[in-house]
Amino acid sequence: MIDLKYLQNHFDEAVQKLQKKGVSSDTLQGLKTLFASLKAANAAFESARAEQNQMSKLFGTYKREGRDTAELKVKVDARKEEIASLQEAAREAETALYRVALSIPNFPDESVPEGADEKENVELHKVLEPRSFDFEPKEHWALAEENGWIDFERGVKLAKSRFSVLRGEAARMERALISFFLDTNRSKGFEELCVPFLNNAAMLQGTGQLPKFEDDLFKIEDENLYLIPTAEVPLTNLYQDEIIPEKALPVLMTGYTPCFRREAGSAGRDTRGMIRQHQFDKVEMVAITHPEKSEEVFEMMVQNASDILTALGLPHRVVLLCGGDLGFSAAKTIDLEVWLPGQNQYREISSISTTGDFQARRAKIRFKEGKKNRLAHTLNGSALAVGRTLIAIMENYQNEDGSIEIPEVLKRYM
RNA sequence: CGGGAGAUGUCAGAGCGGUUGAAUGUGCCGGUCUUGAAAACCGGUGAGGGUAACACCUCCGGGGGUUCGAAUCCCCCUCUCCCGGCCA
């Protein structure tokens, strides 16, 4: 959630910043008004309640002194209804405010370039030269079929479309990649965690998936739980509603989880192959930092993900997202796009974001700074998306006969 | 899933319906003492909102109710622990 006091005191700046994310000034004006209404309603209710409390306390005094309380009771009763309605008004004001506030995206960081969509993202640099092929490189689904690595049909049979089954060497490589990623992250100081793949609504609200993006989630109706769309949800919310000692910062976590996404808005996109599935494996990094240290940790996370790709020998480029392409919670995002020779293009394989204090404010993740509690910064990033790495290896390590080499660093895992 | 017990501040653990936001112990911070440390003693120490700072409001698992007034009484839910069933 954005800082409502900031919105109140620096309205024009706020409008300007959120323009990059397509939020109208009318919406923000409405939010500002709701915030003012809440404060007014609270003030009215609280002063009425204060009077009531004082009168109630008198009963104790009167009784001890043996005085009659009948007159006092009449006085209190007279205001009862009024106070109840003031309380109701304050509650309604709060509900109205949060209904809007929770659906407002985060402010983009100053360093985020202007732009409407992914076409205006800025390539920062490339790592590794794509190899040249003396034959026509195939796309991963063709290679998958030739090698019997991915069983798309039976995945659909077991569940529905956009589910698939990895078989044999592919299944082993999936497992090898997970281990390789976790080990690498651990060597950079990230604690490895194994977390629930179902989280409750409060957690999904904490990281920003709810209330706005419920349609993108798989929900277990009977239990009121959601399949996580990314390990960012459980890892970040591990510290929801907690106050972390300053010396424990930064908290660096990594974990492997499957991720589940309805892909509600992407009908027709990437229907072929394993690029976009309802279920995929991912190893995630999450950091909770002191606000002054988040930039530094962000750079480290980008470097780490890039280093993993480099270690695998996968050519990639580092891209700074423009304002229009930023996600809901993100203040700043860098994508790593891996080269897919079969598709002859770069495709996203990792996305590293800082949310500033946006998620921390929602999830109440704070730390002790001296005597004061302060909102932390939260960051997250893939290192890496496992299925897409598998695809990248297939396409980059293919031979003319359709066979696939195993990257050197993975050999000890297979 | 069935039966019993419980949910209070870092933790432990009190709390007749009214000066209890909460005894006491413990932990932590500061001070006295000490060459230093320990011990002892003194003081401070939950969160959110609000304020220039006070005041003030809210929070004793969550929600609702009774009452002038609820941590204390009633109802519902959730969670934890113990017993039984089932089970990786």
Coordinates of all heavy atoms in Angstrom, one line a residue, chain B residues 31-51:
Chain B
rG31 P 24.9 3.7 31.5 OP1 25.9 4.7 31.1 OP2 25.2 2.2 31.4 O5' 24.4 4.0 33.0 C5' 24.1 5.3 33.3 C4' 23.5 5.4 34.8 O4' 22.4 4.5 34.9 C3' 24.5 4.9 35.9 O3' 25.4 5.9 36.2 C2' 23.5 4.6 37.0 O2' 23.1 5.8 37.6 C1' 22.3 4.0 36.2 N9 22.4 2.5 36.2 C8 22.7 1.7 35.1 N7 22.7 0.4 35.4 C5 22.3 0.4 36.7 C6 22.1 -0.7 37.6 O6 22.2 -1.9 37.4 N1 21.8 -0.3 38.9 C2 21.6 1.0 39.3 N2 21.2 1.2 40.5 N3 21.8 2.1 38.5 C4 22.1 1.7 37.2
rU32 P 26.8 5.5 36.8 OP1 27.6 6.7 37.0 OP2 27.3 4.3 36.1 O5' 26.4 5.0 38.3 C5' 25.9 5.9 39.3 C4' 25.6 5.2 40.6 O4' 24.6 4.2 40.3 C3' 26.8 4.4 41.1 O3' 27.7 5.2 41.9 C2' 26.0 3.4 42.0 O2' 25.7 4.0 43.2 C1' 24.8 3.1 41.2 N1 25.0 1.9 40.3 C2 24.8 0.7 40.9 O2 24.5 0.5 42.1 N3 24.9 -0.4 40.1 C4 25.2 -0.4 38.8 O4 25.3 -1.4 38.1 C5 25.4 0.9 38.2 C6 25.2 2.0 39.0
rC33 P 29.3 5.0 41.7 OP1 29.9 6.0 42.6 OP2 29.6 4.9 40.3 O5' 29.5 3.6 42.4 C5' 29.2 3.4 43.8 C4' 29.2 1.9 44.2 O4' 28.2 1.2 43.5 C3' 30.5 1.2 43.7 O3' 31.5 1.4 44.7 C2' 30.0 -0.3 43.7 O2' 29.9 -0.8 45.0 C1' 28.6 -0.1 43.1 N1 28.6 -0.2 41.6 C2 28.5 -1.5 41.1 O2 28.5 -2.5 41.8 N3 28.5 -1.6 39.7 C4 28.5 -0.5 39.0 N4 28.5 -0.7 37.6 C5 28.6 0.8 39.5 C6 28.6 0.9 40.8
rU34 P 33.0 1.8 44.2 OP1 33.8 1.9 45.4 OP2 32.9 2.8 43.2 O5' 33.4 0.4 43.4 C5' 33.6 -0.8 44.1 C4' 34.0 -1.9 43.2 O4' 32.9 -2.2 42.3 C3' 35.2 -1.5 42.2 O3' 36.4 -1.7 42.8 C2' 35.0 -2.5 41.1 O2' 35.4 -3.8 41.4 C1' 33.4 -2.6 41.0 N1 32.9 -1.7 40.0 C2 32.8 -2.2 38.7 O2 33.2 -3.3 38.4 N3 32.3 -1.3 37.8 C4 31.9 0.0 38.0 O4 31.4 0.6 37.1 C5 32.0 0.4 39.4 C6 32.5 -0.4 40.3
rU35 P 37.6 -0.5 42.6 OP1 38.7 -0.9 43.5 OP2 36.9 0.8 42.7 O5' 38.0 -0.7 41.1 C5' 38.7 0.3 40.4 C4' 39.2 -0.2 39.1 O4' 40.2 -1.2 39.4 C3' 38.2 -1.0 38.2 O3' 37.5 0.0 37.4 C2' 39.1 -1.9 37.4 O2' 39.7 -1.2 36.3 C1' 40.2 -2.2 38.4 N1 39.9 -3.5 39.1 C2 40.0 -4.7 38.3 O2 40.2 -4.7 37.1 N3 39.7 -5.8 39.0 C4 39.4 -5.9 40.4 O4 39.2 -7.0 40.8 C5 39.4 -4.7 41.1 C6 39.6 -3.5 40.4
rG36 P 35.9 -0.3 37.2 OP1 35.4 0.8 36.4 OP2 35.4 -0.6 38.5 O5' 35.9 -1.6 36.3 C5' 36.2 -1.5 34.9 C4' 36.2 -2.9 34.3 O4' 37.2 -3.7 35.0 C3' 34.9 -3.7 34.5 O3' 33.9 -3.4 33.5 C2' 35.4 -5.2 34.4 O2' 35.6 -5.5 33.0 C1' 36.8 -5.1 35.0 N9 36.7 -5.5 36.5 C8 36.7 -4.7 37.6 N7 36.6 -5.3 38.7 C5 36.5 -6.7 38.3 C6 36.4 -7.8 39.1 O6 36.3 -7.9 40.3 N1 36.3 -9.0 38.3 C2 36.4 -9.0 36.9 N2 36.3 -10.1 36.3 N3 36.5 -7.9 36.2 C4 36.5 -6.8 36.9
rA37 P 32.4 -3.5 33.9 OP1 31.6 -3.1 32.7 OP2 32.2 -2.8 35.2 O5' 32.1 -5.0 34.2 C5' 32.0 -5.9 33.0 C4' 32.0 -7.3 33.5 O4' 33.1 -7.6 34.4 C3' 30.8 -7.8 34.4 O3' 29.6 -8.1 33.6 C2' 31.4 -9.0 35.1 O2' 31.4 -10.1 34.2 C1' 32.8 -8.6 35.3 N9 33.0 -8.0 36.7 C8 33.1 -6.7 37.1 N7 33.2 -6.6 38.4 C5 33.1 -7.9 38.9 C6 33.2 -8.4 40.2 N6 33.3 -7.7 41.3 N1 33.1 -9.7 40.3 C2 33.0 -10.5 39.2 N3 32.9 -10.1 37.9 C4 33.0 -8.8 37.8
rA38 P 28.2 -7.9 34.3 OP1 27.2 -8.1 33.2 OP2 28.2 -6.6 35.0 O5' 28.1 -9.0 35.4 C5' 28.0 -10.4 35.0 C4' 28.1 -11.3 36.2 O4' 29.4 -11.0 36.9 C3' 27.1 -11.0 37.2 O3' 25.9 -11.7 36.9 C2' 27.8 -11.5 38.5 O2' 27.7 -12.9 38.6 C1' 29.2 -11.1 38.3 N9 29.5 -9.8 38.9 C8 29.6 -8.6 38.2 N7 29.8 -7.5 39.0 C5 29.8 -8.1 40.3 C6 30.1 -7.6 41.6 N6 30.3 -6.3 41.8 N1 30.1 -8.5 42.6 C2 29.8 -9.8 42.4 N3 29.6 -10.4 41.2 C4 29.6 -9.5 40.2
rA39 P 24.5 -11.1 37.3 OP1 23.4 -12.1 36.9 OP2 24.4 -9.7 36.8 O5' 24.5 -11.1 38.9 C5' 24.5 -12.3 39.7 C4' 24.7 -11.9 41.1 O4' 26.0 -11.3 41.3 C3' 23.7 -10.9 41.7 O3' 22.5 -11.6 42.1 C2' 24.5 -10.4 42.9 O2' 24.5 -11.2 44.0 C1' 25.9 -10.3 42.3 N9 26.2 -9.0 41.7 C8 26.2 -8.7 40.4 N7 26.5 -7.4 40.1 C5 26.7 -6.9 41.4 C6 27.1 -5.6 41.8 N6 27.3 -4.6 41.0 N1 27.2 -5.4 43.1 C2 27.0 -6.4 44.0 N3 26.6 -7.7 43.7 C4 26.5 -7.8 42.4
rA40 P 21.1 -10.8 42.0 OP1 20.1 -11.6 42.5 OP2 21.0 -10.2 40.6 O5' 21.3 -9.5 43.0 C5' 21.4 -9.8 44.4 C4' 21.7 -8.5 45.1 O4' 23.0 -8.0 44.7 C3' 20.8 -7.3 44.8 O3' 19.6 -7.4 45.5 C2' 21.6 -6.1 45.1 O2' 21.7 -5.9 46.5 C1' 23.0 -6.6 44.6 N9 23.2 -6.2 43.2 C8 23.0 -6.9 42.1 N7 23.3 -6.3 41.0 C5 23.7 -5.1 41.4 C6 24.2 -3.9 40.7 N6 24.3 -3.9 39.3 N1 24.5 -2.8 41.4 C2 24.4 -2.9 42.7 N3 24.0 -3.9 43.5 C4 23.7 -5.0 42.8
rC41 P 18.2 -7.0 44.9 OP1 17.1 -7.4 45.8 OP2 18.2 -7.4 43.5 O5' 18.2 -5.4 44.9 C5' 18.3 -4.7 46.1 C4' 18.7 -3.3 45.8 O4' 20.1 -3.2 45.2 C3' 17.9 -2.5 44.9 O3' 16.7 -2.1 45.4 C2' 18.8 -1.4 44.4 O2' 18.9 -0.4 45.4 C1' 20.1 -2.1 44.3 N1 20.4 -2.6 43.0 C2 20.9 -1.7 42.0 O2 21.2 -0.6 42.4 N3 21.2 -2.2 40.8 C4 20.9 -3.4 40.4 N4 21.1 -3.8 39.2 C5 20.3 -4.3 41.4 C6 20.1 -3.9 42.6
rC42 P 15.4 -1.9 44.6 OP1 14.2 -1.7 45.5 OP2 15.3 -3.0 43.6 O5' 15.7 -0.6 43.7 C5' 15.8 0.7 44.4 C4' 16.1 1.8 43.4 O4' 17.4 1.5 42.9 C3' 15.2 1.8 42.2 O3' 14.0 2.5 42.5 C2' 16.1 2.6 41.2 O2' 16.2 4.0 41.5 C1' 17.5 2.0 41.5 N1 17.8 0.8 40.6 C2 18.2 1.1 39.3 O2 18.4 2.3 39.0 N3 18.5 0.1 38.5 C4 18.3 -1.2 38.9 N4 18.5 -2.1 38.0 C5 17.8 -1.5 40.2 C6 17.5 -0.5 41.0
rG43 P 12.7 2.1 41.6 OP1 11.5 2.8 42.2 OP2 12.6 0.6 41.5 O5' 13.0 2.6 40.2 C5' 13.0 4.0 40.0 C4' 13.5 4.3 38.6 O4' 14.9 3.8 38.4 C3' 12.7 3.8 37.4 O3' 11.5 4.5 37.1 C2' 13.7 3.8 36.3 O2' 13.9 5.1 35.8 C1' 15.0 3.4 37.0 N9 15.3 2.0 36.9 C8 15.1 1.0 37.8 N7 15.4 -0.2 37.4 C5 15.8 0.0 36.0 C6 16.2 -0.9 35.0 O6 16.3 -2.1 35.1 N1 16.5 -0.2 33.8 C2 16.4 1.1 33.6 N2 16.7 1.5 32.4 N3 16.0 2.0 34.6 C4 15.7 1.4 35.7
rG44 P 10.3 3.7 36.5 OP1 9.2 4.6 36.4 OP2 10.2 2.4 37.1 O5' 10.8 3.5 35.0 C5' 11.1 4.6 34.1 C4' 11.8 4.1 32.8 O4' 13.0 3.3 33.1 C3' 10.9 3.1 32.0 O3' 9.9 3.8 31.3 C2' 12.0 2.4 31.2 O2' 12.4 3.3 30.1 C1' 13.1 2.3 32.1 N9 13.1 1.0 32.8 C8 12.8 0.7 34.1 N7 12.9 -0.6 34.3 C5 13.4 -1.2 33.2 C6 13.7 -2.5 32.8 O6 13.7 -3.5 33.5 N1 14.1 -2.6 31.5 C2 14.3 -1.6 30.6 N2 14.7 -1.9 29.4 N3 14.0 -0.3 30.9 C4 13.5 -0.2 32.2
rU45 P 8.6 3.0 31.0 OP1 7.7 3.9 30.2 OP2 8.1 2.4 32.2 O5' 9.0 1.8 30.0 C5' 9.4 2.0 28.7 C4' 10.0 0.7 28.1 O4' 11.0 0.2 29.0 C3' 9.0 -0.4 27.9 O3' 8.3 -0.3 26.8 C2' 10.0 -1.6 27.8 O2' 10.6 -1.6 26.5 C1' 11.1 -1.2 28.8 N1 10.9 -1.9 30.1 C2 11.3 -3.2 30.2 O2 11.8 -3.8 29.3 N3 11.1 -3.8 31.5 C4 10.6 -3.2 32.6 O4 10.5 -3.8 33.6 C5 10.2 -1.8 32.4 C6 10.3 -1.2 31.2
rG46 P 6.7 -0.4 26.9 OP1 6.1 0.9 26.7 OP2 6.4 -1.2 28.1 O5' 6.3 -1.3 25.6 C5' 7.2 -2.3 25.2 C4' 6.5 -3.2 24.2 O4' 5.4 -3.8 24.9 C3' 5.8 -2.5 23.1 O3' 6.7 -2.2 22.0 C2' 4.7 -3.5 22.7 O2' 5.3 -4.5 21.9 C1' 4.3 -3.9 24.0 N9 3.2 -3.1 24.6 C8 3.3 -2.3 25.7 N7 2.1 -1.6 25.9 C5 1.3 -2.1 24.9 C6 -0.1 -1.8 24.6 O6 -0.8 -1.0 25.2 N1 -0.5 -2.5 23.5 C2 0.2 -3.4 22.8 N2 -0.4 -4.0 21.7 N3 1.5 -3.7 23.0 C4 1.9 -3.0 24.1
rA47 P 6.5 -0.9 21.1 OP1 7.7 -0.9 20.2 OP2 6.2 0.2 21.9 O5' 5.2 -1.3 20.3 C5' 5.2 -2.4 19.4 C4' 3.9 -2.6 18.7 O4' 2.9 -2.9 19.8 C3' 3.3 -1.4 18.0 O3' 3.8 -1.2 16.8 C2' 1.8 -1.7 18.0 O2' 1.5 -2.7 17.0 C1' 1.7 -2.4 19.4 N9 1.3 -1.4 20.4 C8 2.0 -0.8 21.4 N7 1.3 0.0 22.2 C5 0.1 0.0 21.6 C6 -1.1 0.7 21.9 N6 -1.2 1.6 22.9 N1 -2.2 0.5 21.2 C2 -2.1 -0.4 20.2 N3 -1.1 -1.1 19.8 C4 0.0 -0.8 20.5
rG48 P 3.9 0.2 16.1 OP1 4.7 0.1 14.9 OP2 4.3 1.2 17.2 O5' 2.4 0.5 15.8 C5' 1.7 -0.2 14.7 C4' 0.3 0.2 14.7 O4' -0.4 -0.1 15.9 C3' 0.0 1.7 14.5 O3' 0.2 2.2 13.2 C2' -1.4 1.7 14.9 O2' -2.3 1.2 13.9 C1' -1.4 0.8 16.1 N9 -1.2 1.5 17.4 C8 0.0 1.6 18.1 N7 -0.2 2.4 19.2 C5 -1.5 2.8 19.1 C6 -2.2 3.6 20.0 O6 -1.8 4.2 21.0 N1 -3.6 3.8 19.6 C2 -4.1 3.2 18.5 N2 -5.4 3.5 18.2 N3 -3.4 2.4 17.6 C4 -2.1 2.2 18.0
rG49 P 0.7 3.7 13.0 OP1 0.9 3.9 11.6 OP2 1.7 4.0 14.0 O5' -0.6 4.5 13.5 C5' -1.8 4.4 12.7 C4' -3.0 5.1 13.3 O4' -3.2 4.5 14.7 C3' -2.8 6.6 13.6 O3' -3.0 7.3 12.4 C2' -3.9 6.8 14.6 O2' -5.2 6.8 14.0 C1' -3.8 5.5 15.5 N9 -3.0 5.8 16.7 C8 -1.7 5.4 16.9 N7 -1.2 5.9 18.0 C5 -2.3 6.6 18.6 C6 -2.4 7.3 19.8 O6 -1.5 7.5 20.7 N1 -3.6 7.9 19.9 C2 -4.6 7.8 19.0 N2 -5.8 8.5 19.3 N3 -4.6 7.2 17.9 C4 -3.4 6.6 17.7
rG50 P -2.2 8.7 12.3 OP1 -2.7 9.3 11.0 OP2 -0.8 8.5 12.5 O5' -2.8 9.6 13.5 C5' -4.1 10.1 13.5 C4' -4.3 10.8 14.8 O4' -4.2 9.9 15.9 C3' -3.3 12.0 15.0 O3' -3.7 13.1 14.3 C2' -3.4 12.1 16.6 O2' -4.6 12.8 16.9 C1' -3.6 10.6 17.0 N9 -2.3 10.0 17.3 C8 -1.5 9.2 16.5 N7 -0.4 8.8 17.0 C5 -0.4 9.4 18.2 C6 0.6 9.4 19.3 O6 1.7 8.8 19.3 N1 0.2 10.2 20.4 C2 -0.9 10.9 20.4 N2 -1.1 11.6 21.6 N3 -1.9 10.9 19.5 C4 -1.5 10.2 18.4
rU51 P -2.6 14.0 13.6 OP1 -3.3 15.0 12.8 OP2 -1.5 13.1 13.1 O5' -1.9 14.8 14.8 C5' -2.8 15.7 15.6 C4' -2.0 16.2 16.8 O4' -1.8 15.1 17.7 C3' -0.6 16.7 16.6 O3' -0.6 18.0 16.0 C2' 0.0 16.6 18.0 O2' -0.5 17.7 18.7 C1' -0.7 15.3 18.5 N1 0.3 14.2 18.4 C2 1.1 14.0 19.5 O2 1.1 14.7 20.5 N3 2.0 12.9 19.4 C4 2.1 12.1 18.3 O4 2.9 11.2 18.4 C5 1.2 12.3 17.3 C6 0.3 13.4 17.4

